[in-house]
Amino acid sequence: MKIAVIGAGLAGVATAHVLVIQGHDVTLIERRGAVAEEGSFAPGAPWGLDPLAPWWPAEVARTLGAPSDARAWWPFGRAGRKARQVLAQAAGAGLEAYSRQAFSEALQHVAWGHERGLGHMVLLRDAAQQQHIETCLELLSSQGAAPRLLDAAQARAREPALHEGAPLAGALLLPHDASGNARLLTQHLRAAAQAQGLRVITAGAVVGLAEEPGQAHPWTVRLQRATVEGETEFLPPGPFDAVVLCVGAQTSVLARAVGWSLPLILRGAASVTVPMRWDEALAPPLPSHVLTDASLGISMSRLGQRVRVAAARAAAPSVAAPAHAMDDCKPLFAALDTWIPGSTRVREAQAWSGAVACTPDGLPVVGAGPRRGLWVHGGHGHAGLGRIWGSALVLADLMAGRTP
């Protein structure tokens, strides 16, 4: 098939990569000048900052996009919402397990680089959090997470980088959880897909989709792009057999233009990426795990010679707002100073904030639209790295008429 994938964030590039490998003629369209320039630019590095993860307290889950964000999409009553959450947790865990296995195989052919890690430690500040986690161990074990509950002494022995004065009561160790640089991964996937024949159009904003039913290739993409002379030109890439919407925060806008209402809501994201003091003799030990403060929903991940500290925000910023907003990142610096103070060169920090699209139940939107040949892949929110590859494979199966 001739397929247009709109959006070159991690979801769009992963989708294009999978479709090209399976033999399709794919064109990737991005409004920015390069891939991974918006929601995939500098998100949290853990494979999944899942709003349905059982260790999040209720107030953090709401911030990350849990049930109360859009009650209309959930069964009425507390029992109904709890049942739906349990189902979503199971489905999300299954998707992550499928994605992890398939992605490990794919990485054998993609030179991602060194900015990857393995091992996740969820830091617990008090006994109440420890008791809550104990009730979740069976669920986590059934999902293949191989959890291990550590006391404070065991956690510090396992991760010497933790500050001795930090308020640590214990930790949940998830040894199979991975982390990575989403932007770097997206760039490598794009290069690998281009080597297989992927066409990439950048600096072109999609302003409309046109369908001509009955034609061999019914879809045309209306593309707006500025010329060298400063004028505006409209390009009609295509025609295509199918169009896949992977434009993150803009997915709902394009979908509404063709009569499709999607249950997507926007959530803010913020991060700081800080060089580590790894070359200084008196610097503290460097973290070897992803460290997540369970009270705040803030993660700290080592990316090569840097640390990325990230969190979700309750409100989404304007998509047109400046990307670098240091004010959004003050809680991140505070978390860094609490858990691993002195390990980074804070004055050289790079701040980022943006918007991500998610769904009320925390699961992505993957599948066919109301018109033949129209598809969507998005809504991963803060759990993208852990699920996108599996979702792309599911979408490719659906488009080919196969059972995922």
Side-chain angles (χ1 to χ4, degrees):
M1 286 192 292
K2 294 185 65 176
I3 303 171
V5 177
I6 302 176
L10 181 54
V13 173
T15 299
H17 185 280
V18 169
L19 292 172
V20 164
I21 294 299
Q22 295 187 5
H24 297 288
D25 183 351
V26 183
T27 299
L28 179 66
I29 302 172
E30 168 57 40
R31 68 174 181 167
R32 301 287 187 178
V35 302
E37 289 292 302
E38 295 190 17
S40 299
F41 185 83
W47 277 89
L49 192 63
D50 188 349
L52 298 178
W55 56 78
W56 298 120
E59 60 273 16
V60 174
R62 283 194 293 272
T63 298
L64 296 177
S68 58
D69 285 293
R71 295 181 185 277
W73 289 96
W74 288 76
F76 290 105
R78 180 180 301 177
R81 288 196 295 272
K82 180 63 176 178
R84 173 60 175 156
Q85 183 174 3
V86 170
L87 290 174
Q89 284 177 338
L95 180 58
E96 287 181 10
Y98 173 53
S99 186
R100 186 184 301 115
Q101 179 179 356
F103 192 49
S104 296
E105 297 174 0
L107 279 180
Q108 298 175 10
H109 309 287
V110 178
W112 184 358
H114 65 281
E115 293 193 347
R116 289 183 283 163
L118 186 65
H120 186 179
M121 191 176 287
V122 181
L123 306 174
L124 311 172
R125 289 174 176 253
D126 52 44
Q129 286 185 332
Q130 286 182 300
Q131 292 174 358
H132 174 65
I133 289 294
E134 288 175 357
T135 66
C136 305
L137 292 178
E138 183 176 351
L139 172 62
L140 290 168
S141 297
S142 68
Q143 296 172 351
R148 181 183 171 191
L149 193 58
L150 308 177
D151 61 28
Q154 291 171 326
R156 294 185 192 281
R158 184 91 183 203
E159 182 51 87
L162 290 171
H163 181 44
E164 60 182 11
L168 181 67
L172 173 67
L173 177 65
L174 301 169
H176 301 323
D177 273 15
S179 61
N181 186 329
R183 187 179 185 221
L184 183 62
L185 171 60
T186 305
Q187 292 170 339
H188 282 300
L189 287 175
R190 179 217 62 210
Q194 283 184 294
Q196 297 294 322
L198 173 70
R199 287 184 297 278
V200 180
I201 299 175
T202 57
V206 175
V207 294
L209 303 174
E211 181 189 18
E212 296 184 21
Q215 298 296 317
H217 308 291
W219 287 97
T220 301
V221 179
R222 185 170 171 80
L223 194 65
Q224 178 180 331
R225 184 161 60 177
T227 65
V228 176
E229 294 78 15
E231 300 177 354
T232 299
E233 63 178 353
F234 292 90
L235 306 175
F240 300 102
D241 299 300
V243 175
V244 185
L245 304 181
C246 303
V247 282
Q250 295 296 306
T251 299
S252 292
V253 176
L254 279 179
R256 280 196 299 270
V258 290
W260 191 6
S261 178
L262 292 170
L264 294 177
I265 51 180
L266 294 186
R267 279 289 169 264
S271 72
V272 288
T273 305
V274 195
M276 296 192 304
R277 297 176 59 190
W278 66 279
D279 57 341
E280 299 180 21
L282 300 179
L286 303 177
S288 57
H289 298 77
V290 174
L291 304 175
T292 296
D293 187 326
S295 297
L296 304 176
I298 292 177
S299 66
M300 294 155 279
S301 310
R302 182 173 174 177
L303 296 176
Q305 299 174 7
R306 303 174 297 164
V307 171
R308 176 162 296 162
V309 190
R313 298 183 307 173
S318 167
V319 176
H324 299 282
M326 190 64 74
D327 287 344
D328 295 328
C329 300
K330 290 180 180 178
L332 308 183
F333 288 111
L336 192 64
D337 192 52
T338 296
W339 296 106
I340 49 174
S343 62
T344 59
R345 300 196 294 270
V346 175
R347 292 185 179 181
E348 300 175 34
Q350 294 178 309
W352 171 84
S353 66
V356 296
C358 59
T359 60
D361 62 5
L363 296 176
V365 178
V366 181
R371 301 188 187 182
R372 184 174 179 270
L374 184 62
W375 302 81
V376 68
H377 177 200
H380 289 275
H382 300 279
L385 266 173
R387 296 178 178 177
I388 279 177
W389 194 258
S391 298
L393 291 170
V394 169
L395 179 67
D397 285 340
L398 294 173
M399 295 181 72
R402 300 187 295 264
T403 300

